């Protein structure tokens, strides 16, 4: 049997549907983000990145870069082991203190990525609480779904951002069963925001714990960047707040913030924490610098939201359809996988504008889109170039325009 032929057939089917993903080989230019060098077919060209999750450009911030240089000069490259075996450095401990302070929790626990922090935390809590039932929002991230699945706990899906449906489904469960409500604050593809207070009200009514994924909100919302829960004064009502260091903070890693008991429990029993090499000290140092900066500086947040507003206003002016939402994410709706990829390729090759096509299974079929993420370091001229190029290709593809 030729296993390669089986693999190739399935990949070919992706290509036929227009869903095959091609990596853009980029070289970010220090101090010049969103500008990057693209390596393609033996040539190098400049591109402007419009789809990065480095939402505030903190991956290029001088304070972050300086902190990482200092740490690598002081400690070397790697952590040297797992957190249990020689891999816990002073930088890791300081970072966890900063994260606990950010979310006003007793403790925090650091992981190698946001995916791992969700997978490890949810699977550990749900698997080790006898009879635990997890109530999961219908649009939760794959990392949350996989963590819940791995736990083998009973899962009940409630309608997206629907506290009333959550209430009905909690009411149908045994009153003595441990319950965990898992949801996100900002949903990364549609950019909508959860009704956190109402969900907490329902969870409290039924004695359920709450687990909030804030990966697309930390650094971006709240007076110190603590996320939507901080902005709305709700952090104390959440059992666990999960976040990432790889988006608005511009570095790498994931974490949870919770009570000392919860963090110690997960630290002690989670295989995803116990058996993973710790983040390099330089990454932890960069995250510390980024978090501290954004705790005291609101400039980046205000500038980002201003540029998001400009992009939306200009899209409205030319009738390019996008999903309206209250967050920083601008999903431009193409609704066709082949055209979505063709538009992305054309923008890159003709105008040096990089916007990744988002297709199934990341989003449902028929909702294919270009996910635009304006940042504070995108200039007004960058915006004008991107809008003009989108208008041109929209007409070439004979796509419908929104009516004002």
């Amino acid at each position: 049997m030729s296993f390669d032929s089986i693999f190739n057939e399935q990949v070919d089917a992706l290509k036929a549907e227009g869903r095959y993903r091609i990596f853009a080989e980029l070289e970010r230019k220090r101090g010049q983000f969103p500008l990057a060098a693209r390596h393609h077919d033996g040539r190098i060209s400049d591109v402007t990145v419009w789809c990065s999750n480095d939402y505030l450009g903190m991956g290029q911030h001088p304070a972050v870069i300086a902190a990482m240089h200092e740490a690598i000069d002081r400690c070397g490259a790697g952590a040297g082991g797992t957190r249990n075996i020689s891999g816990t450095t002073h930088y890791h401990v300081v970072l966890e203190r900063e994260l606990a302070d950010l979310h006003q929790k007793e403790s925090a626990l650091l992981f190698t990525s946001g995916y791992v922090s969700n997978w490890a935390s949810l699977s550990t809590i749900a698997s080790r609480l006898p009879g635990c039932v997890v109530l999961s929002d219908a649009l939760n991230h794959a990392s949350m779904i996989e963590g819940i699945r791995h736990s083998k706990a009973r899962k009940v899906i409630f309608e997206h951002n629907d506290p009333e449906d959550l209430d009905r489904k909690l009411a149908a469960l045994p009153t003595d069963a441990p319950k965990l409500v898992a949801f996100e604050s900002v949903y990364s593809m549609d950019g909508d925001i959860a009704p956190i207070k109402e969900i907490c009200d329902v969870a409290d009514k039924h004695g359920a714990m709450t687990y909030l994924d804030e990966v697309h909100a930390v650094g971006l919302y709240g007076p110190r960047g603590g996320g939507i829960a901080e902005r709305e004064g709700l952090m104390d009502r959440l059992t666990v707040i999960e976040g990432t260091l790889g988006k608005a903070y511009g570095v790498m890693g994931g974490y949870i913030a919770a009570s000392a008991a919860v963090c110690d429990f997960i630290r002690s029993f989670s295989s995803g924490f116990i058996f993973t090499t710790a983040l390099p000290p330089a990454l932890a140092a960069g995250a510390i610098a980024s978090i501290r900066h954004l705790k005291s500086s609101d400039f980046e947040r205000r500038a980002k939201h201003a540029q998001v507003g400009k992009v939306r206003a200009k899209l409205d002016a030319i009738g390019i359809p996008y999903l309206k939402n209250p967050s920083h994410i601008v999903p431009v709706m193409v609704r066709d996988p082949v055209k979505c990829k063709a538009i992305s390729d054309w923008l890159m090759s003709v105008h040096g504008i990089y916007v990744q096509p988002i297709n199934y299974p990341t989003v449902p079929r028929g909702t294919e889109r270009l996910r635009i993420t304006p940042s504070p370091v995108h200039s007004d001229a960058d915006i004008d170039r991107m809008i003009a190029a989108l208008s041109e290709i929209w007409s070439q593809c004979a796509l419908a325009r929104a009516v004002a």
Side-chain angles (χ1 to χ4, degrees):
M1 177 181 291
S2 172
F3 293 107
D4 279 356
S5 65
I6 298 173
F7 302 146
N8 287 332
E9 283 175 10
Q10 296 189 44
V11 172
D12 288 343
L14 282 181
K15 291 178 179 178
E17 292 179 39
R19 295 195 292 120
Y20 181 70
R21 302 180 184 192
I22 298 173
F23 296 149
E25 184 181 346
L26 304 178
E27 185 178 343
R28 281 158 61 100
K29 297 188 176 184
R30 174 181 169 180
Q32 298 181 58
F33 181 78
L35 193 66
R38 180 196 183 203
H39 294 253
H40 180 68
D41 289 343
R43 302 189 304 275
I44 300 175
S45 58
D46 284 343
V47 299
T48 303
V49 180
W50 276 98
C51 53
S52 174
N53 282 340
D54 186 358
Y55 291 132
L56 299 176
M58 291 302 294
Q60 306 286 307
H61 196 282
V64 174
I65 293 170
M68 295 183 73
H69 275 297
E70 180 184 359
I72 202 165
D73 288 342
R74 178 178 294 178
C75 299
T82 66
R83 290 291 297 276
N84 286 322
I85 305 175
S86 83
T88 296
T89 72
H90 180 62
Y91 289 105
H92 296 101
V93 175
V94 172
L95 175 54
E96 287 173 340
R97 289 174 185 161
E98 288 289 340
L99 291 165
D101 172 77
L102 176 66
H103 295 291
Q104 296 297 286
K105 297 293 186 184
E106 288 182 331
S107 190
L109 193 63
L110 183 63
F111 294 84
T112 51
S113 72
Y115 191 104
V116 173
S117 57
N118 268 336
W119 179 90
S121 300
L122 284 167
S123 65
T124 302
I125 293 171
S127 66
R128 299 192 69 91
L129 270 179
C132 182
V133 182
V134 183
L135 288 294
S136 179
D137 187 284
L139 293 188
N140 274 345
H141 189 264
S143 58
M144 303 175 78
I145 295 168
E146 287 299 324
I148 297 164
R149 180 181 295 147
H150 183 74
S151 76
K152 296 183 171 61
R154 180 182 174 188
K155 178 177 72 171
V156 176
I157 298 174
F158 65 94
E159 294 297 321
H160 177 55
N161 280 349
D162 190 338
E164 292 182 358
D165 188 53
L166 174 63
D167 189 26
R168 286 190 294 271
K169 286 174 175 168
L170 279 167
L173 297 172
T175 55
D176 59 347
K179 306 169 190 72
L180 175 62
V181 178
F183 62 111
E184 301 180 41
S185 59
V186 176
Y187 286 83
S188 63
M189 288 299 121
D190 289 355
D192 54 337
I193 294 177
I196 299 174
K197 178 184 181 300
E198 291 78 5
I199 289 175
C200 287
D201 288 343
V202 172
D204 290 348
K205 174 182 172 183
H206 295 278
M209 298 176 290
T210 48
Y211 183 106
L212 178 65
D213 177 321
E214 289 254 45
V215 297
H216 291 276
V218 290
L220 292 164
Y221 300 91
R224 300 198 309 158
I228 300 295
E230 184 196 27
R231 185 188 74 179
E232 298 180 5
L234 298 169
M235 291 193 296
D236 62 311
R237 300 192 60 188
L238 295 149
T239 310
V240 179
I241 296 174
E242 184 267 349
T244 184
L245 306 170
K247 293 182 172 60
Y249 291 121
V251 194
M252 180 183 175
Y255 66 88
I256 60 165
S259 68
V262 167
C263 290
D264 196 31
F265 171 75
I266 294 172
R267 180 188 72 85
S268 300
F269 292 106
S270 171
S271 62
F273 178 85
I274 294 168
F275 297 106
T276 299
T277 300
L279 282 174
L283 286 173
I288 292 167
S290 186
I291 291 165
R292 286 177 175 170
H293 176 82
L294 290 173
K295 280 180 178 178
S296 60
S297 172
D298 197 42
F299 169 79
E300 290 82 5
R301 286 186 282 276
R302 287 186 287 104
K304 176 180 183 60
H305 294 302
Q307 296 307 83
V308 169
K310 290 175 185 175
V311 168
R312 286 178 174 150
K314 289 179 180 293
L315 289 172
D316 285 336
I318 61 172
I320 299 292
Y322 64 93
L323 287 183
K324 305 289 196 296
N325 63 60
S327 75
H328 57 282
I329 295 164
V330 184
V332 171
M333 304 306 293
V334 180
R335 304 185 185 279
D336 178 285
V338 175
K339 287 185 178 179
C340 198
K341 184 179 184 307
I343 290 171
S344 173
D345 291 345
W346 183 87
L347 289 170
M348 179 83 94
S349 62
V350 176
H351 291 281
I353 291 171
Y354 174 41
V355 186
Q356 185 70 18
I358 307 293
N359 296 328
Y360 179 84
T362 306
V363 295
R365 297 179 194 274
T367 70
E368 293 82 8
R369 67 200 62 183
L370 302 171
R371 179 179 176 274
I372 296 173
T373 54
S375 79
V377 290
H378 283 99
S379 68
D380 290 352
D382 290 332
I383 293 174
D384 289 341
R385 283 193 295 272
M386 187 267 292
I387 294 295
L390 262 181
S391 184
E392 182 181 349
I393 190 61
W394 218 258
S395 295
Q396 288 184 24
C397 291
L399 291 167
R401 298 197 183 229
V403 178

